[in-house]
Amino acid sequence: MCGIVGYVGHRDAQEVIIDGLRRMEYRGYDSAGLALVVDGTIEWRKKAGKLANLEAELVEHPIPASHQGVGHTRWATHGGPTDVNAHPHLSADGRVALVHNGIIENFAAIRAELEAEGITFASETDTETAAQLLGREIARSDDLVAAMRAVVARLEGAFTLVAVDAHTPDLVVAARRNSPLVVGVGEGENFLASDVASFIAHTREAIELGQDQIVAITPTSVTVTNFDGSEAETRPFHIDWDLSAAEKGGYDWFMRKEIFEQPQAVADTLLGRIDDDGQLNLDEMRIDQAELRTIDKIIIVACGTAYYAGMVAKYAIEHWTRVPCEVDLASEFRYRDPIITKSTLVVTISQSGETADTLMAIRHSREQHAKVIAICNTNGATIPRESDAVIYTHAGPEIGVASTKGFTTQLIACYLLGLYLAQVRGTKFGDEIASLVAELEQIPAKMEEVLKRSDSVLELARDLIDEQSILFLGRHVGYPAALEGALKLKEIAYLHAEGFAAGELKHGPIALIDEGLPVFIVVPPQGRDQLHDKVISNIQEVRARGARTIVLAEDGDDEAVPYADTLLSLPVVPTLFQPLLAIIPLQLFACEVATLKGYDVDQPRNLAKSVTVE
Ligand code: M6R
């Protein structure tokens, strides 16, 4: 939610900032803006809509060259997506410019206080409160760091603030609480950004910041302190992917590229985690094995696609470990007063590692003395840093707002965790684990096979382009796969779609079936799964009522064929692993429908990639 950039150094600041915003536009695209320090004054431009509008504005009204500035791409919270509400916001005297990600909860009280002092506000945003406060404080101290420290002492909520002062050359200052910010460390230049993708073209050396820290960058220094002024601990890290990973590489959309990257991404998640004898090696887990043996309940907490990955994980983890496992939406979790003890293991799943609800769930769990393991894709993000242990998915950057390789690599990490727990707790024999691991190692090749069969999915998308509603059915792990298929279609094709547990149909949803309604059905493996025949009956039930059936069944499933108006066949895998393959045609279908409808697949309306506010 919102992308922020700060730059100071030898390059043209406008170019660096615009390029950085382009790579972070997935975080929000309601408006974009920048402010540069030029000869002791602030020059700023901002425009509602996508970054292209700001670029056009800069062509029409250029800004002289500068080497110091801030930029912002917005996902609107307080105040509509207008030019005026776009960031940066300036203090009334125009001395400081500030950009913000997050929500300042007590902005109304501070605004009233400043207005009473005679300060006039230009926008409806909570952010302008911080800008005006910063203006007042710097007028008192003439010191941007001290002024920022005074500002954050007044604010409640979640925020990253990045600011420049017209009177202080070669300095950009930021503050961070519960909202992402990383430092990029260059030669004679330094960067601030919500995401490393913003500066990966210039440096792969970065610094992870902690909570409640202020960072001041000059071309040659990075100084980090805590909000109280004490020296802060930081963690430098090397970014292990390069610029090409953050570019489309010939694909029309990042989403399509990321769908096709799944075989490699899944292989990378598995890499180095399996011994020669097929046993799990999760040395990176910082939780003691003895402690894992005392766990008597597992709670998986996540949002959106990651939640559906968690639903699949529940089936696998309970089956392999016999430990009761619950799955919670992070936004509901702590409000339902969950039963958590020190022998509860909380597993959070988050691609971005910044989702506010998931982060709050971690804090709540740790307050109750539970151990928390994070499954995450983003090195240095807040969620892994605040967890007891982390399993990184190593999927590389996921830029399309609709999660794809994020989902399948989260599934792999969940399977690895489940098998590891079974190994540690002795609930599976070594050879059983080795045989499941061998199946997992074949997944990348089987995914390649599914991708090769994608022509029929593209044809189907052309056929169904004008549909008003599409249903997705599945049972067991096919149920979360159905939910995830429906979510993809909703979020990028703006098409009404629902996922249902096929066994629930007769309890209500079957009333939706009408002549020609498209229904996707994920069929469990034939012969090896007790639910196969029941799902075949479910297909017949909807077909008898006029539905057009699109059946995802494994190769050789002759019982499914007669009931499929369209058959999408999948390579044979164990039931628990089937979502890894079944989801690929559903992702491609959504991507193609959205493309044919002319929508922006990577930046669907109203959404942002990481939801850093509650
Ligand atoms: O970064 P996270 O995995 O924590 O994000 C969770 C959800 O916001 C995310 O999966 C969202 O549902 C995606 N847009 C789905 O495609």
Side-chain angles (χ1 to χ4, degrees):
M1 290 228 150
C2 301
I4 289 190
V5 189
Y7 176 75
V8 61
H10 54 80
R11 291 174 215 267
D12 181 85
Q14 180 175 310
E15 271 175 31
V16 173
I17 290 169
I18 292 289
D19 188 53
L21 292 180
R22 186 172 300 115
R23 294 183 196 290
M24 284 199 304
E25 208 183 2
Y26 68 86
R27 299 182 70 88
Y29 29 85
D30 286 333
S31 65
L34 56 71
L36 305 173
V37 177
V38 180
D39 295 334
T41 58
I42 303 272
E43 289 273 353
W44 53 271
R45 305 285 182 270
K46 53 189 192 175
K47 276 305 222 191
K50 296 197 174 180
L51 185 62
N53 296 357
L54 173 66
E55 290 179 283
E57 172 72 4
L58 284 162
V59 170
E60 207 172 317
H61 300 109
I63 300 181
S66 163
H67 300 280
Q68 174 192 11
V70 295
H72 189 267
T73 173
R74 178 171 188 239
W75 188 85
T77 56
H78 294 61
T82 61
D83 288 357
V84 165
N85 288 333
H87 301 213
H89 291 280
L90 273 70
S91 55
D93 61 2
R95 176 170 173 179
V96 290
L98 174 142
V99 292
H100 166 223
N101 175 21
I103 290 180
I104 298 167
E105 287 165 4
N106 59 338
F107 82 99
I110 300 175
R111 181 172 176 143
E113 172 189 321
L114 293 168
E115 282 175 335
E117 289 176 17
I119 293 175
T120 306
F121 279 67
S123 76
E124 305 155 89
T125 63
D126 53 340
T127 304
E128 193 183 350
T129 311
Q132 300 291 10
L133 206 49
L134 189 67
R136 185 182 79 179
E137 294 304 324
I138 203 163
R140 291 172 178 171
S141 64
D142 212 27
D143 176 338
L144 187 58
V145 173
M148 185 65 92
R149 206 178 303 291
V151 168
V152 295
R154 296 290 314 278
L155 303 184
E156 289 167 16
F159 49 83
T160 301
L161 306 171
V162 185
V164 282
D165 168 26
H167 300 178
T168 316
D170 290 341
L171 179 70
V172 181
V173 172
R176 164 175 197 264
R177 168 178 285 168
N178 289 339
S179 192
L181 184 69
V182 278
V183 183
V185 183
E187 296 274 330
E189 60 182 347
N190 285 305
F191 307 80
L192 296 166
S194 310
D195 182 335
V196 297
S198 161
F199 52 71
I200 189 78
H202 309 298
T203 179
R204 291 170 70 183
E205 302 311 317
I207 297 176
E208 178 184 321
L209 296 172
Q211 283 304 340
D212 289 5
Q213 292 185 342
I214 290 179
V215 55
I217 59 167
T218 70
T220 52
S221 68
V222 176
T223 310
V224 187
T225 48
N226 294 311
F227 278 5
D228 63 10
S230 58
E231 199 182 315
E233 264 185 42
T234 55
R235 195 182 70 87
F237 66 100
H238 178 75
I239 302 158
D240 57 7
W241 46 270
D242 62 16
L243 186 59
S244 63
E247 292 187 332
K248 283 191 200 150
Y251 286 88
D252 52 350
W253 304 112
F254 278 109
M255 181 184 181
R256 203 185 300 274
K257 176 182 176 233
E258 287 156 7
I259 292 171
F260 278 86
E261 280 174 349
Q262 288 180 108
Q264 186 59 52
V266 158
D268 289 343
T269 313
L270 290 168
L271 194 70
R273 285 165 166 166
I274 297 162
D275 286 347
D276 291 345
D277 56 357
Q279 302 306 289
L280 275 301
N281 175 2
L282 294 185
D283 284 346
E284 69 222 66
M285 295 243 303
R286 299 185 300 261
I287 298 187
D288 190 51
Q289 294 199 6
E291 212 160 352
L292 289 176
R293 287 188 202 101
T294 67
I295 297 299
D296 58 16
K297 179 164 84 167
I298 297 170
I299 310 180
I300 301 175
V301 190
C303 298
T305 288
Y307 172 74
Y308 297 145
M311 285 176 73
V312 174
K314 172 188 160 72
Y315 287 94
I317 290 175
E318 283 192 339
H319 181 65
W320 293 331
T321 68
R322 312 311 297 155
V323 180
C325 181
E326 299 168 11
V327 194
D328 265 86
L329 286 167
S331 52
E332 294 291 323
F333 178 64
R334 65 192 196 285
Y335 301 107
R336 74 166 173 91
D337 192 17
I339 300 167
I340 304 171
T341 69
K342 62 177 174 23
S343 50
T344 305
L345 176 66
V346 173
V347 178
T348 61
I349 308 174
S350 174
Q351 189 285 131
S352 64
E354 298 292 350
T355 300
D357 284 314
T358 309
L359 179 60
M360 296 305 162
I362 291 172
R363 291 183 183 161
H364 181 78
S365 305
R366 295 191 76 192
E367 276 163 19
Q368 322 289 314
H369 309 291
K371 287 285 177 208
V372 177
I373 296 180
I375 290 174
C376 184
N377 191 38
T378 312
N379 196 337
T382 311
I383 284 176
R385 207 182 35 247
E386 295 206 12
S387 301
D388 296 291
V390 56
I391 302 176
Y392 281 111
T393 49
H394 300 305
E398 189 183 64
I399 292 168
V401 164
S403 187
T404 52
K405 64 177 179 175
F407 178 68
T408 44
T409 55
Q410 285 162 355
L411 287 179
I412 293 285
C414 289
Y415 295 134
L416 291 175
L417 175 62
L419 290 171
Y420 182 72
L421 290 173
Q423 180 178 297
V424 168
R425 296 168 67 96
T427 51
K428 280 269 165 219
F429 292 116
D431 57 342
E432 292 173 304
I433 291 175
S435 122
L436 286 162
V437 160
E439 291 283 355
L440 280 179
E441 287 178 312
Q442 290 177 38
I443 292 292
K446 291 182 180 179
M447 284 181 149
E448 293 284 8
E449 182 56 38
V450 179
L451 288 165
K452 277 191 205 140
R453 301 178 189 181
S454 61
D455 282 356
S456 50
V457 180
L458 306 188
E459 200 177 304
L460 190 65
R462 283 191 287 275
D463 260 19
L464 300 184
I465 176 90
D466 292 322
E467 295 297 332
Q468 299 301 307
S469 180
I470 297 185
L471 302 189
F472 293 77
L473 306 179
R475 295 182 80 142
H476 190 263
V477 291
Y479 169 43
L483 291 168
E484 172 62 3
L487 176 63
K488 294 294 85 119
L489 207 51
K490 283 185 255 202
E491 68 181 333
I492 59 169
Y494 318 145
L495 209 160
H496 175 254
E498 293 290 338
F500 294 111
E504 272 293 297
L505 266 193
K506 292 190 273 297
H507 301 282
I510 201 162
L512 291 169
I513 307 290
D514 207 349
E515 198 58 38
L517 180 80
V519 182
F520 285 76
I521 308 109
V522 181
V523 182
Q526 186 184 23
R528 308 188 314 282
D529 193 286
Q530 51 177 351
L531 282 172
H532 173 270
D533 294 356
K534 297 192 188 300
V535 173
I536 297 292
S537 301
N538 296 140
I539 304 176
Q540 293 176 58
E541 287 158 10
V542 295
R543 214 160 176 262
R545 287 158 180 83
R548 170 176 178 174
T549 57
I550 301 115
V551 175
L552 291 94
E554 72 172 18
D555 288 337
D557 185 342
D558 47 2
E559 285 176 54
V561 176
Y563 308 111
D565 292 314
T566 304
L567 181 72
L568 302 175
S569 57
L570 304 170
V572 174
V573 285
T575 305
L576 282 168
F577 300 158
Q578 201 191 32
L580 288 165
L581 304 186
I583 198 58
I584 294 175
L586 306 186
Q587 294 167 341
L588 279 168
F589 177 72
C591 183
E592 193 59 16
V593 171
T595 305
L596 293 171
K597 282 176 175 282
Y599 297 148
D600 187 332
V601 168
D602 288 332
Q603 296 177 354
R605 68 187 180 200
N606 304 335
L607 293 175
K609 180 71 179 160
S610 56
V611 182
T612 54
V613 294
E614 279 190 72

